[in-house]
């Protein structure tokens, strides 16, 4: 791979896990003015990060910005990331992964929630009425990086040089140092989960609960979360992603769960993991954690390098294309012709990741 040291400076994708995070997702309103306001704002967010971060240098404030497929096209950049596309919904064996709206992601992290909140406030003030907030989830570290199911989350993240190798694009010359990120909100049924024995929970996850040790191969179920999230390339080498999941919850809203966020140099690795989880490997052998954890959102974003993000602010405004319709010549009247429409079943003929099985 290309040495990370030769990359354009990436955004702070691989910054260490913090105690707090905010996952802010917005859609851009219609019209070129809204697109221009969004484009120029994200190109200058780094200045806001410095303004807020300098007020507490030990808080480790960072913000990673992701751009959705439709938004990228509206910004009018001359080139397009090869793997950028809307999140593909999955019709699973028993549980589904929906695709939801999202043009921009702001993944804000710090050791203090007030720092995250202040940066979010300034970003939204700068964006003004050019965007609509569709997700605003504050996340928190739960004890020793556990999820609300009680298990440590993120143990298998790569470390050292492998961290950058997993997270940053190295085979798209125009987008070196960029990344792709997939986000999903998972809402947990804790009452049902807590009725299981610890031993049954460990078989579903594939790790011990207290010590966070992976189960031995001899007793590891084929439908455990660990098994179905272990994917390899054609040479048998394990493919990694970089997760910074966070717990979230509101008893007023009646929802507690895990906010999944996975960065990778290609979204195909995360998409294969999700297909294994929801469809199963083989189909029907799905991830049993989904019996207790429901996906309620799904988005895919491209994360440009810092230089590419800054470049977006220099692009010319994309004005609407004005079309001049030719004058309509009067036509001689004709007798109406009866037509027979072909029968249709109303299908949009959109492909999905559903496997060949009966649900």
């Amino acid at each position: 791979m290309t040495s990370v040291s030769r990359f354009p400076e990436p955004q702070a994708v691989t910054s260490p896990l913090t105690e707090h995070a905010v996952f802010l997702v917005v859609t851009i309103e219609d019209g070129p003015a809204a697109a221009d306001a969004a484009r120029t704002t994200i190109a200058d967010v780094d200045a806001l990060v410095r303004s807020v971060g300098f007020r507490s240098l030990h808080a480790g404030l960072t913000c990673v910005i992701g751009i959705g497929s439709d938004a990228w096209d509206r910004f009018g950049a001359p080139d397009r990331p090869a793997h950028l596309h809307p999140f593909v919904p999955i019709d699973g064996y028993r549980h589904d992964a929906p695709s939801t709206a999202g043009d921009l992601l702001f993944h804000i992290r710090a050791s203090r929630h007030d720092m995250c909140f202040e940066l979010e406030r300034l970003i939204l003030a700068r964006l003004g009425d050019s965007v609509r907030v569709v997700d605003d989830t504050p996340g928190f570290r739960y004890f020793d990086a556990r999820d609300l199911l009680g298990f440590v989350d993120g143990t298998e993240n790569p470390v050292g040089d492998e961290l950058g190798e997993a997270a940053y694009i190295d085979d798209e010359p125009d987008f070196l140092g960029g990344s792709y990120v997939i986000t999903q909100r998972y809402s947990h049924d804790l009452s049902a989960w807590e009725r299981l024995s610890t031993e049954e929970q460990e078989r579903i996850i594939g790790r011990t609960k207290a010590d966070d040790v992976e189960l031995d191969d001899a007793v590891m179920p084929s439908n455990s979360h660990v098994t179905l999230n272990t994917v390899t390339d054609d040479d048998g080498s394990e493919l990694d992603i970089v997760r910074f999941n966070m717990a979230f919850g509101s008893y007023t809203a009646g929802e507690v769960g895990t906010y999944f966020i996975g960065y990778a140099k290609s979204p195909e690795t995360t998409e294969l993991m999700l297909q294994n989880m929801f469809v199963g490997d083989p189909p029907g052998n799905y991830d049993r954690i989904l019996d207790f954890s429901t996906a309620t959102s799904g988005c895919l974003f491209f994360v440009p390098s810092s230089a590419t993000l800054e470049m977006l602010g220099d692009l010319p405004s994309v004005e609407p294309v004005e079309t001049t319709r030719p004058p309509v010549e009067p036509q001689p009247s004709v007798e109406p012709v009866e037509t027979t429409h072909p029968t249709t079943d109303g299908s949009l003929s959109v492909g999905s990741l559903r496997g060949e099985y009966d649900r």
Side-chain angles (χ1 to χ4, degrees):
M1 68 168 287
T2 304
S3 169
V4 172
S5 64
R6 296 174 56 191
F7 282 173
E9 182 181 357
Q11 295 192 62
V13 169
T14 56
S15 293
L17 187 67
T18 53
E19 285 79 5
H20 296 274
V22 167
F23 304 95
L24 174 65
V25 179
V26 303
T27 56
I28 302 172
E29 298 290 4
D30 294 337
D36 287 346
R39 176 177 54 78
T40 55
T41 296
I42 62 174
D44 196 39
V45 161
D46 190 49
L48 297 179
V49 174
R50 290 195 299 272
S51 295
V52 178
F54 196 72
R55 292 152 67 179
S56 179
L57 294 174
H58 301 294
L61 178 69
T62 62
C63 177
V64 174
I65 297 172
I67 304 170
S69 179
D70 292 345
W72 184 267
D73 291 338
R74 292 181 64 186
F75 291 164
D79 299 301
R80 199 173 200 285
H83 302 291
L84 178 58
H85 56 262
F87 180 82
V88 179
I90 303 174
D91 295 332
Y93 186 77
R94 293 193 186 282
H95 308 284
D96 300 333
S99 176
T100 51
D103 286 327
L104 298 174
L105 165 71
F106 299 89
H107 181 198
I108 303 171
R109 288 179 277 179
S111 62
R112 291 168 39 181
H113 180 63
D114 59 342
M115 303 289 285
C116 298
F117 181 85
E118 177 69 357
L119 179 59
E120 180 184 28
R121 182 184 71 81
L122 293 175
I123 291 172
L124 288 175
R126 185 74 66 85
L127 289 169
D129 58 6
S130 66
V131 302
R132 180 170 64 90
V133 176
V134 294
D135 191 2
D136 170 28
T137 301
F140 56 90
R141 181 187 289 188
Y142 188 58
F143 295 102
D144 47 339
R146 294 178 185 268
D147 57 30
L148 294 180
L149 300 178
F151 286 78
V152 175
D153 192 3
T155 304
E156 295 302 322
N157 265 356
V159 297
D161 291 342
E162 293 181 353
L163 185 62
E165 292 173 5
Y168 297 126
I169 296 169
D170 61 4
D171 60 353
E172 297 183 55
D174 291 332
F175 298 106
L176 295 178
S179 187
Y180 296 92
V181 60
I182 287 179
T183 62
Q184 292 178 295
R185 282 173 63 102
Y186 284 90
S187 180
H188 299 328
D189 184 349
L190 291 185
S191 296
W193 178 255
E194 289 168 354
R195 287 195 291 270
L196 301 178
S197 66
T198 298
E199 291 74 18
E200 181 62 13
Q201 292 177 356
E202 291 176 338
R203 283 192 289 272
I204 291 173
I205 299 298
R207 308 187 73 88
T208 60
K209 191 169 186 177
D211 301 327
D212 186 37
V213 175
E214 190 169 304
L215 299 184
D216 188 84
D217 288 344
V219 297
M220 177 75 80
S222 63
N223 61 351
S224 73
H225 187 64
V226 167
T227 300
L228 293 173
N229 276 274
T230 302
V231 297
T232 59
D233 61 17
D234 294 337
D235 298 327
S237 300
E238 192 167 323
L239 300 173
D240 291 320
I241 66 172
V242 180
R243 302 171 178 83
F244 291 106
N245 301 351
M246 280 278 186
F248 70 91
S250 166
Y251 291 108
T252 302
E255 182 184 24
V256 298
T258 297
Y259 204 102
F260 165 79
I261 182 164
Y263 293 92
K265 60 184 177 182
S266 168
E268 293 176 350
T269 302
T270 311
E271 289 172 333
L272 179 56
M273 293 177 177
L274 295 178
Q275 184 176 9
N276 287 348
M277 286 178 61
F278 285 82
V279 175
D281 181 26
N285 188 47
Y286 70 95
D287 191 335
R288 280 205 59 210
I289 197 174
L290 299 177
D291 290 339
F292 308 90
S293 188
T294 302
T296 60
S297 72
C299 294
L300 188 156
F301 304 93
F302 168 64
V303 177
S305 68
S306 295
T308 301
L309 188 64
E310 186 176 346
M311 177 273 297
L312 292 177
D314 298 328
L315 292 175
S317 174
V318 179
E319 299 292 342
V321 177
E322 295 186 1
T323 57
T324 303
R325 296 183 178 180
V328 178
E329 299 293 337
Q331 299 293 318
S333 62
V334 296
E335 295 295 329
V337 178
E338 292 187 2
T339 58
T340 301
H341 296 282
T343 302
T344 175
D345 60 2
S347 169
L348 296 177
S349 301
V350 176
S352 75
L353 294 176
R354 181 189 288 255
E356 296 298 327
Y357 52 78
D358 295 326
R359 187 168 181 175

